Amino acid sequence: MYPQNLAPIPELYVSYDSAQKLKLEAAELFSHDLTPRQICDLELLMNGGFNPLKGFLSEDDYNSVVENMRLADGTLWPMPITLDVSEAFADSLEIGQDIALRDQEGVILGTMTVTDRWVPNKAREAEKVFGADEDAHPAVNYLHNKAGKVYLGGPVTGIQQPVHYDFRGRRDTPNELRALFRKLGWRKVVAFQTRNPLHRAHQELTFRAAKEAQANLLIHPVVGMTKPGDVDHFTRVRCYEAVLDKYPQSTTTMSLLNLAMRMAGPREAVWHGLIRKNHGCTHFIVGRDHAGPGKNSAGEDFYGPYDAQELFREHEAEIGIEMVDFKHMVYVQERAQYEPMDEIADKDDVTILNISGTELRRRLAEGLDIPEWFSFPEVVTELRKTRPPRSQQGFTVFFTGFSGSGKSTIANALMVKLMEMGGRPVTLLDGDIVRKNLSSELGFSKEHRDLNIRRIGYVASEITKNGGIAICAPIAPYATTRRAVREEIEQFGAFLEVHVATSLEECERRDRKGLYKLAREGKIKEFTGISDPYDVPETPELRVETENVEVDNCAHQVILKLESLGLITGQ
Ligand code: PPS
């Protein structure tokens, strides 16, 4: 075991009095409005969770972390913690200038002295840190499609913690946890990192891990940002609270970690270990495919199942925390208990039961039984509340295609068919209607089109979240914007992209609104298909041809697709 050090860890906050003064001074500075991910990073920078970092990485540290997993001075640090900003903001700054870092409501959380400004090689970062430069990896997608073009680096001065209104009593800084362990006399602490609800197998394996290490247990779930599509943290925390009661008294505690995960597998495991060391833990459970991002575009896992454990083991002494192997626990029906798979000697004589994550999601989505041997009734009840069967969830149908392709007509027919079925409110966000009401000031530049689509996406995501059906029918010519909208909506429900694949020639031949003629004559500029691009969707959920096909039939194809996905039930 590596020695436990519960002495207070350095934080980046100034004293209360200095913070009050600095806050007033900072109001005069240039401001950067932090993104949700940057707020998570800043919180852990300021409270020592990312110790020994003293701010957002400088260019030298960044290059060294990307290439060698180490800061420029050789200290192990696997993850680039960078402040990405727009070119315009970066250009407005001088090196050496202080900037205010504000949360999304404008509250100043800290300041940063800008010592470095550079344009990173994002493709290189993707390859080295995440192992592949492809958008199927959520962090690579973030890097290329969400993060600003320029990185700023420099030391941070902390003024105040980000404000959290939820589960306040369950959130602890590294120093608060260290103090708690000192107070309780917990000399050995096994940390369990998770972004998923806990079921009986997890309870069993974490309890065993703690027992084997003769240690106490810290359930340390991530509530910052996890993989898109995960169960929201409110639901998860209610589930964890129910599971906490199942451990023997005084052996286990739970604290919430406001980390923004990157799903970087092996590097992420090492990072998680360092963060837990900072929180006063001595042991850390690393599982199969730890922090794995799912499949790449070829349908394969990004990392090998034990890559994370291997990289962790290689650096264990330097991290200073002992790795505990995550045992694959399965339920043995005859003995009515969970056992580690590799310790079952009589495998051929007993019935081994297991439910995968995918199978669990299917059962929840379809409202099927979830057996008591698998999970705790309180957990299942919570999950059912947030994940009603698909046929009761909200969803979005997003039509895309050229002007005059028939999007609006099919969308209208679909709306009427869904209203006839009843059950959920249906809202049509047609291109023209939106441009009249929501986006009347916008034109057709790339910037304006993106803004228009993002507005539609935002409204559709709210509708989906609240259990309604949103039907969108804009041109939406840019694949990256459509993808961003998909991601926003998929947090709350299904997103069905329907490409109305009428050819440009046919749209022009129909020329319902006479716009193509004007576009050809140059009287309308930036006209999609004529003088402006259209990215044909590569893998839409559905592609409908409209030439020689009735509108009713096109709408019916969408209905059939919705049925096959379980989003509407057959009549
Ligand atoms: S976008 O790109 O998604 O923001 O476009 P959208 O909001 O769907 O608006 C498209 C409708 O605006 C009319 N129109 C143009 N379309 C494309 N390019 C240019 N320059 C343009 N100027 C006006 C056109 O009637 C589109 O309507 P639909 O219903 O698609 O035919």
Side-chain angles (χ1 to χ4, degrees):
M1 174 180 148
Y2 303 99
Q4 186 194 33
N5 179 357
L6 294 181
I9 202 167
E11 297 185 350
L12 306 183
Y13 293 112
V14 291
S15 68
Y16 179 80
D17 287 342
S18 311
Q20 298 315 307
K21 199 164 148 263
L22 187 57
K23 202 166 193 164
L24 293 177
E25 290 166 11
E28 312 263 311
L29 299 175
F30 271 42
S31 284
H32 171 63
D33 294 334
L34 297 156
T35 62
R37 180 159 114 177
Q38 291 168 348
I39 293 176
C40 291
D41 285 353
L42 182 65
E43 177 168 344
L44 285 155
L45 278 171
M46 294 193 298
N47 72 17
F50 287 169
N51 182 59
L53 302 193
K54 299 283 177 260
F56 288 97
L57 293 189
S58 67
E59 185 174 1
D60 282 350
D61 280 334
Y62 165 78
N63 286 327
S64 176
V65 166
V66 169
E67 297 300 324
N68 314 312
M69 251 179 55
R70 292 180 182 281
L71 300 173
D73 69 4
T75 309
L76 181 71
W77 188 267
M79 198 56 64
I81 306 298
T82 49
L83 189 70
D84 61 279
V85 299
S86 68
E87 277 174 303
F89 181 69
D91 288 346
S92 70
L93 300 174
E94 304 277 337
I95 294 298
Q97 188 173 338
D98 284 350
I99 56 171
L101 302 173
R102 294 178 188 263
D103 72 7
Q104 301 208 311
E105 280 178 35
V107 176
I108 303 176
L109 303 177
T111 62
M112 183 177 100
T113 306
V114 181
T115 57
D116 293 65
R117 170 180 53 196
W118 73 104
V119 177
N121 180 344
K122 290 189 176 179
R124 180 92 187 141
E125 180 178 335
E127 283 291 349
K128 296 293 288 186
V129 179
F130 304 112
D133 188 13
E134 59 165 290
D135 285 1
H137 191 300
V140 177
N141 177 40
Y142 187 96
L143 187 62
H144 287 306
N145 302 319
K146 293 197 182 140
K149 276 212 166 67
V150 184
Y151 288 175
L152 302 179
V156 161
T157 304
I159 294 179
Q160 70 164 74
Q161 296 194 40
V163 183
H164 300 289
Y165 296 105
D166 56 332
F167 308 113
R168 293 174 76 131
R170 290 270 186 212
R171 295 174 185 265
D172 305 281
T173 66
N175 281 330
E176 283 166 346
L177 271 190
R178 285 171 171 237
L180 179 74
F181 298 156
R182 277 201 303 274
K183 182 167 160 186
L184 297 175
W186 286 15
R187 312 302 311 161
K188 291 184 185 176
V189 184
V190 179
F192 181 62
Q193 135 87 34
T194 184
R195 43 170 264 266
N196 287 312
L198 300 186
H199 303 293
R200 284 187 198 272
H202 302 101
Q203 197 268 337
E204 196 63 45
L205 90 87
T206 48
F207 181 57
R208 271 174 186 257
K211 216 161 66 178
E212 276 167 31
Q214 294 183 309
N216 290 94
L217 179 64
L218 170 70
I219 307 290
H220 209 193
V222 172
V223 296
M225 291 171 76
T226 61
K227 199 175 148 196
D230 280 349
V231 176
D232 69 88
H233 81 265
F234 300 102
T235 308
R236 283 191 287 118
V237 175
R238 289 196 298 271
C239 292
Y240 301 142
E241 282 180 336
V243 177
L244 217 53
D245 291 342
K246 316 292 175 195
Y247 293 95
Q249 256 197 343
S250 326
T251 60
T252 304
T253 190
M254 173 172 76
S255 178
L256 308 180
L257 181 67
N258 198 37
L259 174 71
M261 289 181 71
R262 284 16 178 205
M263 311 308 301
R267 279 203 188 216
E268 181 116 1
V270 171
W271 187 41
H272 287 175
L274 290 166
I275 295 167
R276 272 41 184 237
K277 170 82 183 174
N278 287 334
H279 283 79
C281 303
T282 54
H283 295 71
F284 183 58
I285 301 174
V286 181
R288 197 181 171 280
D289 195 26
H290 186 98
K295 308 266 183 227
N296 63 19
S297 53
E300 288 154 6
D301 285 337
F302 277 91
Y303 313 114
Y306 299 105
D307 289 3
Q309 290 187 346
E310 273 164 34
L311 194 72
F312 199 105
R313 193 165 286 122
E314 232 176 87
H315 298 282
E316 195 181 67
E318 237 177 319
I319 304 169
I321 194 167
E322 198 168 314
M323 182 173 83
V324 181
D325 283 7
F326 180 106
K327 299 239 178 345
H328 180 44
M329 304 296 293
V330 289
Y331 187 73
V332 181
Q333 195 171 33
E334 285 75 4
R335 293 193 277 276
Q337 64 180 12
Y338 276 90
E339 296 177 16
M341 185 67 162
D342 56 2
E343 289 174 22
I344 304 174
D346 52 353
K347 279 194 190 71
D348 296 337
D349 307 324
V350 292
T351 320
I352 291 174
L353 300 178
N354 197 12
I355 292 182
S356 68
T358 315
E359 173 62 9
L360 175 66
R361 278 191 290 279
R362 187 184 75 86
R363 289 183 185 219
L364 283 171
E366 293 176 21
L368 302 174
D369 177 52
I370 294 165
E372 272 227 24
W373 62 260
F374 177 76
S375 195
F376 304 99
E378 302 92 316
V379 172
V380 175
T381 308
E382 281 301 337
L383 291 179
R384 284 207 198 282
K385 272 194 239 159
T386 13
R387 293 266 161 118
R390 284 194 132 206
S391 60
Q392 289 166 27
Q393 288 174 17
F395 63 86
T396 293
V397 180
F398 192 98
F399 290 96
T400 166
F402 288 119
S403 168
S405 56
K407 302 181 299 289
S408 308
T409 322
I410 304 171
N412 265 298
L414 175 68
M415 175 174 73
V416 173
K417 283 177 187 286
L418 289 170
M419 288 170 87
E420 184 186 347
M421 288 177 195
R424 280 170 287 196
V426 189
T427 309
L428 177 60
L429 297 163
D430 186 40
D432 279 338
I433 303 174
V434 170
R435 280 195 174 264
K436 270 200 200 92
N437 296 291
L438 269 183
S439 294
S440 55
E441 85 286 19
L442 299 183
F444 289 89
S445 63
K446 174 164 193 316
E447 203 187 348
H448 278 194
R449 287 182 196 261
D450 280 353
L451 198 53
N452 181 40
I453 300 307
R454 282 178 183 278
R455 286 179 188 171
I456 294 176
Y458 172 72
V459 176
S461 76
E462 287 292 308
I463 292 169
T464 304
K465 179 167 83 184
N466 292 305
I469 299 173
I471 304 175
C472 314
I475 298 178
Y478 298 107
T480 44
T481 326
R482 293 195 299 258
R483 179 177 169 139
V485 168
R486 173 189 290 275
E487 277 169 15
E488 192 175 351
I489 289 168
E490 281 183 343
Q491 300 174 59
F492 307 116
F495 179 87
L496 196 88
E497 186 175 38
V498 182
H499 177 211
V500 183
T502 318
S503 65
L504 186 66
E505 296 68 40
E506 175 65 12
C507 294
E508 196 166 358
R509 195 188 57 73
R510 293 181 192 165
D511 204 4
R512 288 230 173 83
K513 300 179 184 166
L515 296 176
Y516 282 95
K517 182 168 175 290
L518 294 176
R520 285 285 180 206
E521 290 166 7
K523 291 184 183 144
I524 302 182
K525 305 270 179 277
E526 302 175 311
F527 197 84
T528 308
I530 306 293
S531 44
D532 224 42
Y534 178 78
D535 303 339
V536 174
E538 284 175 11
T539 48
E541 276 74 9
L542 186 67
R543 210 184 291 281
V544 290
E545 305 293 338
T546 64
E547 288 158 57
N548 307 317
V549 185
E550 298 270 328
V551 171
D552 192 69
N553 181 291
C554 295
H556 192 63
Q557 288 178 45
V558 183
I559 293 281
L560 291 178
K561 185 74 194 175
L562 292 170
E563 268 180 22
S564 75
L565 294 172
L567 291 164
I568 51 179
T569 42
Q571 315 112 71

